[in-house]
Amino acid sequence: MTAPAAATHGAPTPDPTPRVSAMTWVSVFVRTLAIQGSWNYETLLGNGVGFALEPALRRLPGGVRGDAFKAAIARESAYFNAHPYLTSVAIGALAKAELSGVPPERIERFRTALCGPLGSVGDRLVWAGLLPFSSLVALIAFGIGVRPLAVLLIFLALYNTGHLGLRIWGLRVGWTRGLAVAGALANPVLRNGPAYIARASAAVAGIAIPLTVARVVGPSRLLLEDALVVGAVIAVGLVRVHGRVEGWKLVLVLIALFALVSVAR
Amino acid sequence: MRELLPLSMLGGLLGLDVVCFPQMMISRPLVGATVAGAFVGDTASGLLVGATLELIALATLPFGASRYPEWGSAAVVGGAIAAALHAEPAGTLTVGVLATLATAWVGGWTLVKLRVWNAWLARRKRGALEHGSRGAVVGLQLAGLTSDLVRAMILTAVAYGLILPVARAMVAVWSFDEHLSRAVTAGAASAVAAAAAWTIFHSARGARWYFAGGLLIGLMFLAMR
């Protein structure tokens, strides 16, 4: 009853969460970049979550030798699975929950509930969105003859603006909202972003593929036309047998056979 | 083979980027092969291999626990081989792409083994982890990172050391014309890219029309050159 009484008299409600220094946040952020360092088939990202949270958990009463710290580290290093970039949302929220003294069973339920949404949103937004989009834009740059260093910089700048931005946003929103962070996943960028990126990527793919092939093939227009037509035919075949044949393995076999003939004849 | 040590270090760093640290996609073939080409002295050959491989890599997205080719170390091997053989252009691109794909396949297998190794290490530390040992958490993470770095370095060194002499011998007796070889390789890569684009984007409303529009622009650009 203390807090409402204080609020009635106009005094600010005390925040039970300890302050976390900027240096601690830098340390947590750098560790999130290595969150998959011990990825395995049993605890998946679990140890990485404990590793990333560890600098923040040192703020718990008693420090690294205290029971609160040990209990929190044990809890946070258990099984966890999500997209590695969006795990920063969980890291921020879990740091707030642990430092605010939220009951352990509530934290464990929250951890379990976050896995699915953070995995599916991240997969669609990053692996099936930002990554192919950045690759294809860089391939357009390659196709129109941009210098090698600039091609690499375009790719890395485009991709990592999204990548690092997402990680920083995740930590901030997680820390700010704590256990109520699920609402942040309804952010329009996360909800509608994948569809917009998919359309943009489709358009960019249409431009990038012929331009890339043209630059690789060189000046022969006839060979370029043949390469594009044969490529289109094989692509249709690959789409039709979707899931049964992996494209890169098919290319490996085709190119190996071509090399064999070239060497043997 | 003076380049073996720096290349294996580069392969180690890029292999580490694939999953463990920092996942900034410096391990993508476009980056890895180009940088490796620059290491060996021919950036252009590395970029050519990297761009061709990037088309292929569009089909292999690193979803969760799925098994996928390890492009980081492999791109270093392919880009460096293409750059090392650039004096004999016919077949260089094809052989570079082939070397990368073969190494990426083996690399994907080594990633699975690394995950099994990490699980074994985690099982050994289970007691300490359950008691909230800070040392166990940090130690496991550092062990995993170090193992991955070493894995990728060894993979790069072994693959480059084994494939380069074979690649050199192949290019020496390569009978197809340079442009034909490039067209076959690029055509096959474009097939994978187009199929991947369809698979990834077709569920978005109107994506096929965006793709068709983009294709029209791309082809018009080529026609006007």
Side-chain angles (χ1 to χ4, degrees):
Chain A
M1 288 290 143
T2 312
T8 310
H9 292 94
T13 308
D15 184 355
T17 313
R19 291 184 65 82
V20 176
S21 69
M23 277 312 293
T24 302
W25 279 122
V26 169
S27 177
V28 170
F29 175 74
V30 172
R31 287 182 182 215
T32 64
L33 297 175
I35 200 154
Q36 297 200 116
S38 60
W39 201 100
N40 64 73
Y41 292 116
E42 291 178 18
T43 57
L44 284 79
L45 277 172
N47 197 73
V49 172
F51 176 72
L53 273 169
E54 192 268 335
L57 297 181
R58 290 179 208 161
R59 309 283 306 170
L60 283 165
V64 294
R65 296 188 197 285
D67 289 343
F69 175 86
K70 289 179 179 170
I73 276 287
R75 199 161 40 242
E76 298 303 348
S77 305
Y79 171 93
F80 191 82
N81 188 28
H83 188 276
Y85 299 177
L86 278 176
T87 300
S88 58
V89 174
I91 303 281
L94 288 167
K96 178 140 187 177
E98 293 285 3
L99 296 183
S100 305
V102 171
E105 56 278 10
R106 220 179 136 200
I107 292 178
E108 281 165 11
R109 278 204 305 274
F110 171 74
R111 251 177 137 257
T112 307
L114 267 185
C115 289
L118 291 182
S120 64
V121 170
D123 284 350
R124 285 187 296 126
L125 186 68
V126 180
W127 296 152
L130 179 64
L131 178 57
F133 179 75
S134 307
S135 284
L136 290 162
V137 170
L139 286 175
I140 291 178
F142 165 79
I144 60 175
V146 171
R147 295 166 68 87
L149 181 62
V151 172
L152 301 197
L153 288 178
I154 287 168
F155 169 70
L156 291 173
L158 194 56
Y159 182 78
N160 285 301
T161 301
H163 161 213
L164 297 175
L166 200 56
R167 287 200 197 251
I168 293 167
W169 171 84
L171 276 181
R172 274 180 68 101
V173 79
W175 177 253
T176 310
R177 299 201 186 188
L179 296 193
V181 78
L185 297 179
N187 182 306
V189 173
L190 302 185
R191 210 175 44 192
N192 304 322
Y196 286 117
I197 297 176
R199 287 186 207 115
S201 300
V204 172
I207 304 171
I209 294 171
L211 289 184
T212 305
V213 174
R215 174 136 186 228
V216 173
V217 171
S220 170
R221 189 165 284 264
L222 192 63
L223 280 174
L224 171 61
E225 287 169 7
D226 289 348
L228 289 175
V229 170
V230 172
V233 171
I234 298 175
V236 171
L238 277 172
V239 168
R240 290 181 76 89
V241 298
H242 173 60
R244 279 172 285 163
V245 177
E246 286 184 81
W248 71 275
K249 287 183 182 170
L250 179 69
V251 172
L252 176 58
V253 172
L254 288 177
I255 296 181
L257 286 173
F258 176 73
L260 206 61
V261 173
S262 182
V263 169
R265 79 181 186 139
Chain B
M1 285 269 184
R2 274 183 312 175
E3 68 278 18
L4 192 62
L5 184 62
L7 279 177
S8 73
M9 288 167 71
L10 178 66
L13 287 175
L14 301 199
L16 191 66
D17 179 71
V18 175
V19 175
C20 285
F21 178 80
Q23 276 207 311
M24 294 176 89
M25 294 301 140
I26 51 174
S27 52
R28 289 299 284 187
L30 185 65
V31 182
T34 309
V35 174
F39 258 58
V40 179
D42 186 19
T43 313
S45 294
L47 178 63
L48 215 56
V49 170
T52 309
L53 288 164
E54 193 66 36
L55 288 173
I56 300 169
L58 285 170
T60 56
L61 303 172
F63 287 114
S66 62
R67 183 172 170 173
Y68 39 81
E70 197 266 79
W71 293 116
S73 316
V76 170
V77 173
I81 286 176
L85 302 176
H86 76 279
E88 298 193 55
T92 298
L93 172 78
T94 311
V95 168
V97 170
L98 200 54
T100 308
L101 291 173
T103 309
W105 198 335
V106 177
W109 176 80
T110 62
L111 270 184
V112 171
K113 295 296 165 198
L114 176 75
R115 290 164 175 182
V116 173
W117 165 250
N118 283 341
W120 182 77
L121 290 176
R123 270 199 302 277
R124 281 187 63 206
K125 297 278 182 187
R126 184 173 291 159
L129 290 172
E130 283 171 357
H131 285 93
S133 163
R134 175 175 174 254
V137 170
V138 175
L140 271 179
Q141 207 70 6
L142 295 180
L145 288 162
T146 309
S147 303
D148 195 22
L149 180 70
V150 172
R151 173 201 67 79
M153 284 179 70
I154 293 173
L155 175 68
T156 308
V158 171
Y160 185 75
L162 290 178
I163 298 175
L164 182 62
V166 179
R168 185 167 278 141
M170 285 173 74
V171 169
V173 294
W174 196 265
S175 60
F176 286 129
D177 166 66
E178 178 194 357
H179 296 294
L180 174 67
S181 303
R182 284 181 176 209
V184 169
T185 310
S190 73
V192 180
W198 173 262
T199 307
I200 298 168
F201 311 128
H202 80 277
S203 58
R205 199 153 44 104
R208 67 189 66 187
W209 296 110
Y210 283 90
F211 180 76
L215 194 60
L216 200 64
I217 294 169
L219 293 175
M220 277 169 59
F221 189 89
L222 290 180
M224 287 188 302
R225 283 203 310 186

